[in-house]
DNA sequence: ATGAAAGCGCTAACAC
DNA sequence: GTGTTAGCGCTTTCAT
């Protein structure tokens, strides 16, 4: 900046004014400055700028998700990025792998860089470490799951109702032995979806059969193994409810083709409608979720100090075929099997 | 920091030393400082720090992709992020939508924040605007495509050879009327893949039939429409080569089930092996691509000043079923059709 | 309309 | 081992 000032024959202050588009510079001077800027290829150092202007922010937000490679979070990230870009903000991203320790590290790196706001998919760990940055003015919004003990805007979907609808759908087709395959039980969405599963069973007067419930499936492989275990039971399930996309993929991989059991999965997948049978799913809208979270965050950054809001978006049951086998064909007439 | 110094009864400089883990502070003083840090919930302002330490960088890199929501780039991003996290770096991300203007905006916002390095999927636009930041020490690596006129490390795959192998595979199954469906021709990968398509035809002594070549398909919908046009030809193609994942999805959507033509797609898709028939594809490894680009970038950031390298990773043809229909069934015995 | 001085939060370089 | 001074690149404030 000093160099530009020298070349243009003005003071650094005038360069600052021109570069930042502030008024009060004569057109002639401005032109000379702009020429010097182009000649030297000068670009303002925004970090230095943000250091001085304490009242304005850094025009940087951060997004902390479980796993950026997961298409669900990738879509959310893109949606957040678009909202940020519209407003002249940039986005830092980090994946936690659902590890509280990595979450802490990543968020600390972000707050140390003075981000104006944070959109996080919180892990099961505590979030006391957010208190100080929040008092310092950093805004926080939770997405996908609430953070225990953290009173901030939160965007989730109706996991429990969505899961209940899925399982009720299977019950409506005559199934009574419906397995639940879920990820780690310490993940809020998984607990909610399991509760929805139980709700549906209870509404039909059915008790939970522990043999049919598998928690903690962290991978494609584990989901596949759990399915094998279920099918080896004396009275195997005639229908499956898979509680996230990864588990759905694993289960599909372990089944014959076409699948001999009914399946409904939570989360839509590309190509789901091209499978045979097409996959029935409970779908949520990651773009809407990300966009909503971003809008809440920018409202806060813009000065909104109202009480924290919880926004619950709705899931939809997409009936396509895989959940509509009648139970009779596999259980009530065992003689017909194999 | 001054507050911490006051509470601990030391000078700011001592706080700085403790907070940055520098030696030369007595254990007793360090303990008092750390206590004050905890009491006040102090966190160092890394932007201010980076301002002073000009020789060290900002420990921030940026990743600029076409579309973060595309699973291919999402996987790449996750891979880059992991490499960055291992080294204590954070990652800014931006999507360009393949628009040179947005690319410029996004990159300018990143360089203004003094990123140490940039991994970019370059658009077709010129990249002269990168010259100044690069002279200022910002390292740049291109990924997925080279940037015209930009001498930097570049990571790509063997697009041309991969496409040729795919089309040769179709030719090997007796097809002679093979359609090419591609994205915008101004995208380097699409030109390369089209060249590979021509290479394969030429090797079999076949000329290009312009009727069978469709460029510029930007969406699922456009791919579907292009397919309809191809099938309405007097002599429709018996096989299709789709030049990216989005086009493959659009084409699959427009076909009966099971597909009456042979298909090979560029880029793998989740569930591709669960389709009927399972989808034969040319697959590239986004995790390896992202990891390689990140390693090259960090080598540069670490001081490597050797001549720019071009790394070409290999694609693999995954034969699964959709590319192995014999051409005879649809063309040589027209009487059998319908 | 322009510039001089001071300072954002931190640390390099030098004292003691 | 600890503190002082100066200054990173920019902008606020106040003067001219």
């Amino acid at each position: 900046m000093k160099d530009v000032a020298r070349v243009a024959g003005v003071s650094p202050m005038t360069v600052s004014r021109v570069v930042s588009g502030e008024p009060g510079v004569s057109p002639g001077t401005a032109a000379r400055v702009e020429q010097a800027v182009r000649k030297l290829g000068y670009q303002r150092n925004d970090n230095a700028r943000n250091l001085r202007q304490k009242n304005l922010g850094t025009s940087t937000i951060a997004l902390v998700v479980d796993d950026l490679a997961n298409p669900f979070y990738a879509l959310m990230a893109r949606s957040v990025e678009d909202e940020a870009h519209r407003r002249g903000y940039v986005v830092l991203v980090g994946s936690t792998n659902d590890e509280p320790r990595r979450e802490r590290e990543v968020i600390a790196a972000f707050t140390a860089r003075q981000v104006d706001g944070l959109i996080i998919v919180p892990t099961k760990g505590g979030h006391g470490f957010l208190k100080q940055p929040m008092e310092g003015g950093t805004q926080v919004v939770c997405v996908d799951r609430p953070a225990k003990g953290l009173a901030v805007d939160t965007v989730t979907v109706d996991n429990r109702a969505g899961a209940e609808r899925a399982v009720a759908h299977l019950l409506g087709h005559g199934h009574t032995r419906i397995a639940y395959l879920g990820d780690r039980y310490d993940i809020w969405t998984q607990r909610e979806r399991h509760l929805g599963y139980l709700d549906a069973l209870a509404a039909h007067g059915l008790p939970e059969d522990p043999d049919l419930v598998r928690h903690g499936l962290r991978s494609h492989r584990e989901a596949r193994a759990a399915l094998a275990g279920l099918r080896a039971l004396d009275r195997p399930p005639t229908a499956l409810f898979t509680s996230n996309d990864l588990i759905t993929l694993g289960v599909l991989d372990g089944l014959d083709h076409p699948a001999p059991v009914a399946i409904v999965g939570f989360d839509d997948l590309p190509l789901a409608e091209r499978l045979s049978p097409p996959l029935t799913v409970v779908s949520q809208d990651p773009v809407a979720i990300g966009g909503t979270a971003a809008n809440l965050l920018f409202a806060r950054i813009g000065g909104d100090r109202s009480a924290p809001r919880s926004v619950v978006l709705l899931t939809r049951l997409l009936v396509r075929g895989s959940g509509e086998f009648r139970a009779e064909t596999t259980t009530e007439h065992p003689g017909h099997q194999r």
Side-chain angles (χ1 to χ4, degrees), chain A:
Chain A
M1 184 146 168
K2 266 192 269 190
D3 297 340
V4 174
R6 197 173 310 120
V7 170
V10 297
S11 79
M13 195 55 234
T14 300
V15 177
S16 170
R17 284 197 256 261
V18 172
V19 166
S20 301
E22 282 183 21
V25 180
S26 79
T29 327
R32 288 213 318 289
V33 170
E34 282 171 17
Q35 198 179 331
V37 164
R38 268 194 302 279
K39 181 175 172 195
L40 300 184
Y42 169 75
Q43 187 182 24
R44 185 179 59 199
N45 179 335
D46 277 359
N47 287 346
R49 171 173 220 233
N50 296 328
L51 188 58
R52 191 62 178 87
Q53 309 184 293
K54 274 270 80 177
N55 44 336
L56 303 182
T58 55
S59 295
T60 305
I61 64 170
L63 174 66
V64 180
V65 298
D66 185 346
D67 175 12
L68 190 56
N70 181 320
F72 177 79
Y73 293 119
L75 281 161
M76 235 184 64
R78 174 65 206 263
S79 176
V80 168
E81 191 222 320
D82 280 344
E83 291 295 333
H85 183 253
R86 282 207 307 124
R87 295 169 168 87
Y89 280 69
V90 296
V91 182
L92 283 161
V93 292
S95 300
T96 64
N97 271 342
D98 240 319
E99 297 162 14
R101 180 170 148 209
R102 182 155 164 171
E103 181 188 28
R104 283 248 298 275
E105 290 170 0
V106 166
I107 292 181
F110 293 161
T111 54
R113 285 170 179 75
Q114 314 298 114
V115 296
D116 297 334
L118 232 24
I119 296 178
I120 64 176
V121 176
T123 68
K124 67 168 190 287
H127 290 78
F129 61 89
L130 280 173
K131 233 194 141 195
Q132 290 295 340
M134 286 175 65
E135 284 172 6
T138 307
Q139 304 299 323
V140 177
V141 171
C142 284
V143 70
D144 192 44
R145 325 165 186 166
K148 203 166 37 183
L150 196 64
V152 299
D153 291 342
T154 302
V155 182
T156 57
V157 298
D158 58 338
N159 289 286
R160 185 167 178 168
E164 181 186 7
R165 216 173 313 127
V167 176
H169 183 72
L170 292 168
L171 289 163
H173 285 269
H175 296 276
T176 53
R177 295 190 61 71
I178 304 172
Y180 169 93
L181 293 98
D183 197 341
R184 288 210 324 250
Y185 195 68
D186 60 22
I187 299 174
W188 179 82
T189 54
Q190 300 298 306
R191 286 198 301 278
E192 289 291 308
R193 292 171 195 173
H194 180 243
L195 285 174
Y197 164 82
L198 296 182
D199 288 345
L201 293 185
H204 276 244
L206 289 171
E208 177 179 17
D209 179 345
D211 284 351
L212 297 180
V213 173
R214 303 294 158 104
H215 292 294
L217 309 176
R218 288 301 289 164
S219 67
H220 189 277
R221 198 183 49 69
E222 286 178 26
R224 210 182 143 147
L227 171 68
L230 287 166
R231 302 189 76 195
L233 291 174
D234 283 347
R235 298 176 54 220
T238 64
L240 310 173
F241 172 62
T242 51
S243 188
N244 72 23
D245 45 10
L246 202 58
I247 294 171
T248 307
L249 285 171
V251 161
L252 286 174
D253 214 33
L255 284 175
D256 300 339
H257 192 29
V261 296
I263 303 181
V264 179
F266 209 107
D267 289 341
D268 203 3
L269 295 163
L271 288 181
E273 27 190 348
R274 296 291 304 174
L275 298 176
S276 44
L279 189 65
T280 294
V281 298
V282 180
S283 97
Q284 43 182 337
D285 181 348
V287 172
I289 294 170
T292 304
N295 280 320
L296 287 168
L297 183 68
F298 283 114
R300 296 291 176 187
I301 290 175
D304 179 359
R305 291 291 171 276
S306 55
R309 270 163 290 189
S310 269
V311 178
V312 179
L313 300 178
L314 298 185
T315 55
R316 289 190 307 155
L317 181 68
L318 303 181
V319 175
R320 292 180 178 142
S322 73
E324 291 75 51
F325 294 101
R326 297 217 65 87
E328 294 78 11
T329 59
T330 48
T331 57
E332 299 195 0
H333 307 292
H336 291 183
Q337 289 189 260
R338 274 213 80 256

